[in-house]
Amino acid sequence: MSRTLSMQEKHPELYAQHTYVEPAKRKRTVKMEVLCLSYMRTGTASMYAALNMVGLPCFHSFSLYSRIQDCSTWSAALDAKFFNRGPKFTKTEWDQLLSEYAAITDVPATAFAEELVSAYPDAKVILMERDIDSWFTSFDNAIIKPIWNWTTQFIGSVDPWYVGPLKDLHMRWVRGWMESHSEDEMRRKAKPHYREHNALVRRITPNEKLLEYKMGSGWEPLCRFLGKPIPDVDFPRVNETAALQEKISIILQRGAFNFLKRIMLVVGPLLLAGLWAAKYR
């Protein structure tokens, strides 16, 4: 009988340990080779796993779970592009922020499709697309509802150390990239934005550098496009809705714990002082 995987084994990015180095002090250590500019919920987590498996360290929003400090730099990039606050990122800033990655996928990176294609003209581009109705159902359940859920919003507001930076970053691309300021507006704009984004990626990418990959096609078309040997394992399939919801639950629990811990640091001494005063009054 196979054993049940631990949470750490199922969600390693939530438990990874890094020695943090500020982006401004980083230098690119690998060449940027692949820009997977596909919209969320089209298979980006599976592609993230696949690119890592063929030797291309890949950035995904998952990467931020163990590097929360980078949220502020991504937020600055979003502020500059969509809200005209601060200088827009150049290749220098992208190289610093993405210094150790040979590939990217998922938000917030996909909100910078034009900038990344311009910064890395030699990189190959991958685009994945699903039937729009099935995609929307998945996007609504896994992205829209959790982002606007009152629990997420509340914990994000009282935990500025972990959930807060993640919440603020996601709200920036929602308001900037999707131009949505409410759950209903995000839901209403999702399908048009999905179509517009896919059209943009096709328009800015030379045909010879673009792979329109269909989930379920396996390793062969991807590895042929990238010039990589085919791994001797099945193509990964990750990030089913239930798994993502489990990930979100862990994040929110961590945020709630941070909040309660800070509360106890303040309230605990006051309670002890009150008990001491009552005893010796």
Side-chain angles (χ1 to χ4, degrees), residues 37-96:
L37 298 174
S38 309
Y39 218 96
M40 297 153 286
R41 307 308 295 168
T42 58
T44 55
S46 295
M47 185 57 67
Y48 160 72
L51 291 170
N52 278 298
M53 290 169 69
V54 297
L56 296 171
C58 185
F59 172 87
H60 186 283
S61 60
F62 294 167
S63 308
L64 294 169
Y65 297 160
S66 58
R67 194 166 286 177
I68 291 295
Q69 299 95 324
D70 275 0
C71 286
S72 61
T73 306
W74 281 106
S75 290
L78 290 164
D79 282 347
K81 176 172 182 176
F82 296 108
F83 306 107
N84 295 314
R85 294 199 293 261
K88 290 180 170 58
F89 277 33
T90 66
K91 186 175 185 296
T92 297
E93 287 77 36
W94 292 122
D95 274 346
Q96 291 170 339

Side-chain angles (χ1 to χ4, degrees), residues 163-225:
V163 179
L166 289 169
K167 186 208 77 165
D168 291 346
L169 173 59
H170 286 303
M171 293 309 299
R172 272 182 170 84
W173 66 255
V174 168
R175 291 176 174 137
W177 189 42
M178 290 193 70
E179 298 182 330
S180 299
H181 297 82
S182 70
E183 184 173 354
D184 288 341
E185 186 177 19
M186 188 177 180
R187 192 171 283 118
R188 187 171 62 253
K189 289 183 174 180
K191 287 185 179 181
H193 194 258
Y194 177 74
R195 293 189 183 100
E196 290 165 8
H197 175 76
N198 291 338
L200 170 67
V201 173
R202 292 185 178 102
R203 188 168 65 250
I204 64 177
T205 307
N207 288 336
E208 67 276 9
K209 289 191 175 294
L210 177 64
L211 171 66
E212 297 207 27
Y213 181 86
K214 294 190 179 300
M215 274 296 154
S217 301
W219 287 112
E220 198 279 330
L222 177 66
C223 291
R224 175 163 35 89
F225 178 66

Side-chain angles (χ1 to χ4, degrees):
M1 181 182 295
S2 60
R3 68 181 179 85
T4 301
L5 294 177
S6 68
M7 287 296 180
Q8 188 164 348
E9 290 171 315
K10 291 166 71 176
H11 308 287
E13 65 281 347
L14 289 171
Y15 299 91
Q17 299 293 320
H18 293 285
T19 300
Y20 187 72
V21 178
E22 294 177 11
K25 297 180 181 179
R26 300 178 198 166
K27 293 183 179 179
R28 177 159 289 286
T29 57
V30 292
K31 179 182 178 181
M32 180 63 75
E33 297 187 43
V34 179
L35 305 173
C36 179
L37 298 174
S38 309
Y39 218 96
M40 297 153 286
R41 307 308 295 168
T42 58
T44 55
S46 295
M47 185 57 67
Y48 160 72
L51 291 170
N52 278 298
M53 290 169 69
V54 297
L56 296 171
C58 185
F59 172 87
H60 186 283
S61 60
F62 294 167
S63 308
L64 294 169
Y65 297 160
S66 58
R67 194 166 286 177
I68 291 295
Q69 299 95 324
D70 275 0
C71 286
S72 61
T73 306
W74 281 106
S75 290
L78 290 164
D79 282 347
K81 176 172 182 176
F82 296 108
F83 306 107
N84 295 314
R85 294 199 293 261
K88 290 180 170 58
F89 277 33
T90 66
K91 186 175 185 296
T92 297
E93 287 77 36
W94 292 122
D95 274 346
Q96 291 170 339
L97 183 56
L98 299 167
S99 60
E100 66 195 76
Y101 299 108
I104 62 92
T105 191
D106 206 71
V107 290
T110 45
F112 298 95
E114 293 171 289
E115 291 82 357
L116 292 173
V117 167
S118 176
Y120 304 108
D122 294 331
K124 296 182 176 181
V125 176
I126 298 171
L127 180 66
M128 300 175 293
E129 190 171 8
R130 292 173 60 180
D131 167 77
I132 196 165
D133 291 321
S134 63
W135 167 80
F136 177 76
T137 299
S138 176
F139 184 69
D140 189 22
N141 289 328
I143 305 296
I144 297 177
K145 290 176 182 176
I147 280 180
W148 292 99
N149 181 280
W150 75 268
T151 305
T152 305
Q153 293 293 323
F154 173 73
I155 295 179
S157 67
V158 299
D159 172 30
W161 309 279
Y162 190 73
V163 179
L166 289 169
K167 186 208 77 165
D168 291 346
L169 173 59
H170 286 303
M171 293 309 299
R172 272 182 170 84
W173 66 255
V174 168
R175 291 176 174 137
W177 189 42
M178 290 193 70
E179 298 182 330
S180 299
H181 297 82
S182 70
E183 184 173 354
D184 288 341
E185 186 177 19
M186 188 177 180
R187 192 171 283 118
R188 187 171 62 253
K189 289 183 174 180
K191 287 185 179 181
H193 194 258
Y194 177 74
R195 293 189 183 100
E196 290 165 8
H197 175 76
N198 291 338
L200 170 67
V201 173
R202 292 185 178 102
R203 188 168 65 250
I204 64 177
T205 307
N207 288 336
E208 67 276 9
K209 289 191 175 294
L210 177 64
L211 171 66
E212 297 207 27
Y213 181 86
K214 294 190 179 300
M215 274 296 154
S217 301
W219 287 112
E220 198 279 330
L222 177 66
C223 291
R224 175 163 35 89
F225 178 66
L226 299 178
K228 300 288 186 182
I230 295 176
D232 58 358
V233 294
D234 291 339
F235 192 93
R237 182 186 176 191
V238 296
N239 199 27
E240 294 86 352
T241 298
L244 181 59
Q245 290 173 343
E246 188 172 67
K247 212 180 291 286
I248 292 170
S249 177
I250 295 171
I251 292 169
L252 293 179
Q253 288 174 25
R254 189 173 292 179
F257 176 78
N258 285 342
F259 173 60
L260 292 174
K261 183 172 65 175
R262 298 286 175 163
I263 288 293
M264 290 308 299
L265 287 174
V266 174
V267 175
L270 294 176
L271 288 174
L272 289 174
L275 291 172
W276 184 88
K279 181 177 180 180
Y280 293 102
R281 184 172 53 191

